[in-house]
Amino acid sequence: MYLMVNFVQQEIENDLKEGKYSDGIHTRFPPEPNGYLHIGHAKSVCLNFGLAAHNNGLCNLRFDDTNPTKEDTEYVDSIQEDIKWLGFDWDDRKFFASDYFGKLYDYAVELIKRGLAYVDDSSADEIREMRGTLTEPGKESPCRNRSIEENLNLFERMKAGEFEDGAKVLRAKIDMASPNMNMRDPVIYRITRTHHHRTGDDWLIYPMYDFAHPLSDAIEKITHSVCTLEFEDHRPFYDWLLDSLDFDKNSRPRQIEFARLDLTNTITSKRKLRQLVEEKHVRGWDDPRMPTLSGMRRRGFTPAAIRNFCAEIGVAKSNSLVDIAMLEHCVREDLNENADRIMAVLNPLKVVLTNVDAGKVEWLTAENHPTKGGSRFVPFTREIFIERDDFMEDAPKKFFRLKPGGEVRLKHAYIIKCEEVIKDDSGNITELHCTIDPTSKSGGETAGRKIKGTVHWVSADYALKAEVRLYDYLLTTDEKGNLPEDFIGALNPDSLIVIENALVEPSVKLTGAGVHFQFLRLGYFVTDYDTTPEKLVFNRVAGLKDSWAKVKG
Ligand code: ATP
Ligand code: MG
């Protein structure tokens, strides 16, 4: 199902050859429920679920909910919806790190019993000061050599709520002189009286991520714990912890780091995305300009396009910036193949066809898709609308659309000739008077007449009004697409343009939200959630022009 030619798969195959993990491959996707999933997470979802599928293994969904201050069930729900939408399933393997709070506590006690953890009374600031620097070793805390009994007693009292928040922590006892700062007696438990969205007020102490993560992996019998590169320096602690608690080397989880996805023009920091939402720079997490999966879904990006993109970018060992044009290319490729074509006019100019009878309607056949076929009827009437841009009064030679005295073909219909330009008192063009060549439609005598331009149009009597939302990137960037430091200051004021009075052909009448179309000559569009029986609302998914296909050649 998935072509998994990447270095993580190579590592898995090497492990299997060495006789490790004989019970099968087991991965996990471990989001922290403190925000919505974004395009970067999609890479990790595709990789983890993809590796499991490729190796006939399993992939768990595990919420890393060890930091209750920022977490919320809204995020737990959205994450599940987004993973399913992307096309992956954890079956009955949905877990929470908080499910393991009891076990994690027991593991901490075991470390203390082995002389490998101690309770420290130092404040956060003192601990930071004693940590040393990259060039200087750290200092040992005065509490470091407490007896096992005293540590057990204090840790139990931390749990029982005898001490204030932050008054004590539990630290692993490793090496304050280690060149790796993560090995300088990292904090593994802290006291914080915070309500947890699942365990309520049961716990006053919470495990740190670096402690909870490897042990959650081990408890779930994960074989390959795939994470992003910034955790490379944490791997020694990951292994130290599993060593210290005697997890078997041939079956315990192994951490493998890969390059995170960074995209031009795109914020992939949850903190910054949250700021955009909280400060209302966007309409919400699912604003179509957001690089969240829910935003991209609303924008009309398809799961297949995002999966193809993740497959195409591959998995590397060093970070790099991917051109967002590549994602847009995948979206276009999918929609080009699957979206029905219709006609819509965004900026209408009225055209009266003077040799067509008023009140007459002719239902013309229009094909829905150039390769997949299918057809529908499009009403043709005396009054129609064309795109204002498709007419030019003083047109240059190379302008092959409509001009005074010129001819153009109406898509699926007749050739028309512009006979007269009607203007209001201030000289604005209000309508065109044109005539049709009555035998020029498909199958007619003059159908084959060579006309350079073809334009789209809608019937004035039958067209439906629609609101169309056009999007641009949220941020203005340098020409390479690098994000500015001050991203709020770089917000693009034109990232959303709303066209209130666009017109679409009547065939879309009964369409709900999430239906894709190509508006001929204009781009790909999708009906928005705001669509009601009374009002159509479209988002532009992408224009027709594909800069990436050109780059690829
Ligand atoms: P935080 O800043 O809150 O730590 P995070 O982006 O690490 O955010 P998590 O919920 O911890 O978010 O991420 C879940 C998984 O997705 C992790 O395994 C993480 O490595 C992976 N992930 C997150 N961002 C990216 C990215 N840009 N590219 C690839 N994988 C990512
Ligand atoms: Mg994280």
Side-chain angles (χ1 to χ4, degrees), residues 32 209 231 270:
E32 191 181 342
Y209 176 86
F231 289 98
K270 270 196 277 190

PDB file of all heavy atoms in Angstrom, residues 32 209 231 270, ligand 2:
ATOM      1  N   GLU A  32       0.840  15.831  21.398  1.00  0.00           N
ATOM      2  CA  GLU A  32       0.463  16.449  22.666  1.00  0.00           C
ATOM      3  C   GLU A  32      -0.837  17.207  22.398  1.00  0.00           C
ATOM      4  O   GLU A  32      -0.888  18.019  21.474  1.00  0.00           O
ATOM      5  CB  GLU A  32       1.569  17.422  23.094  1.00  0.00           C
ATOM      6  CG  GLU A  32       1.389  17.894  24.497  1.00  0.00           C
ATOM      7  CD  GLU A  32       2.469  18.873  24.930  1.00  0.00           C
ATOM      8  OE1 GLU A  32       3.528  18.945  24.286  1.00  0.00           O
ATOM      9  OE2 GLU A  32       2.213  19.569  25.916  1.00  0.00           O
ATOM     10  N   TYR A 209       7.999  15.147  30.223  1.00  0.00           N
ATOM     11  CA  TYR A 209       7.889  14.491  28.925  1.00  0.00           C
ATOM     12  C   TYR A 209       9.007  13.474  28.683  1.00  0.00           C
ATOM     13  O   TYR A 209       8.763  12.344  28.254  1.00  0.00           O
ATOM     14  CB  TYR A 209       7.911  15.566  27.830  1.00  0.00           C
ATOM     15  CG  TYR A 209       7.898  15.003  26.440  1.00  0.00           C
ATOM     16  CD1 TYR A 209       6.692  14.681  25.821  1.00  0.00           C
ATOM     17  CD2 TYR A 209       9.096  14.767  25.754  1.00  0.00           C
ATOM     18  CE1 TYR A 209       6.677  14.143  24.548  1.00  0.00           C
ATOM     19  CE2 TYR A 209       9.083  14.231  24.479  1.00  0.00           C
ATOM     20  CZ  TYR A 209       7.884  13.918  23.884  1.00  0.00           C
ATOM     21  OH  TYR A 209       7.876  13.381  22.631  1.00  0.00           O
ATOM     22  N   PHE A 231      15.178  15.762  19.074  1.00  0.00           N
ATOM     23  CA  PHE A 231      15.227  14.820  20.188  1.00  0.00           C
ATOM     24  C   PHE A 231      16.474  13.929  20.162  1.00  0.00           C
ATOM     25  O   PHE A 231      16.637  13.074  21.021  1.00  0.00           O
ATOM     26  CB  PHE A 231      13.967  13.959  20.233  1.00  0.00           C
ATOM     27  CG  PHE A 231      12.768  14.736  20.662  1.00  0.00           C
ATOM     28  CD1 PHE A 231      11.881  15.246  19.739  1.00  0.00           C
ATOM     29  CD2 PHE A 231      12.551  15.016  22.010  1.00  0.00           C
ATOM     30  CE1 PHE A 231      10.792  16.014  20.125  1.00  0.00           C
ATOM     31  CE2 PHE A 231      11.473  15.776  22.414  1.00  0.00           C
ATOM     32  CZ  PHE A 231      10.594  16.273  21.470  1.00  0.00           C
ATOM     33  N   LYS A 270       3.130  25.087  16.782  1.00  0.00           N
ATOM     34  CA  LYS A 270       1.801  25.104  17.384  1.00  0.00           C
ATOM     35  C   LYS A 270       1.587  26.364  18.208  1.00  0.00           C
ATOM     36  O   LYS A 270       0.486  26.915  18.242  1.00  0.00           O
ATOM     37  CB  LYS A 270       1.616  23.880  18.297  1.00  0.00           C
ATOM     38  CG  LYS A 270       1.058  22.683  17.562  1.00  0.00           C
ATOM     39  CD  LYS A 270       0.533  21.634  18.532  1.00  0.00           C
ATOM     40  CE  LYS A 270       1.644  20.761  19.035  1.00  0.00           C
ATOM     41  NZ  LYS A 270       1.172  19.594  19.795  1.00  0.00           N
TER      42      LYS A 270
HETATM   43 MG    MG B   2       6.396  17.807  20.991  1.00  0.00          MG
END
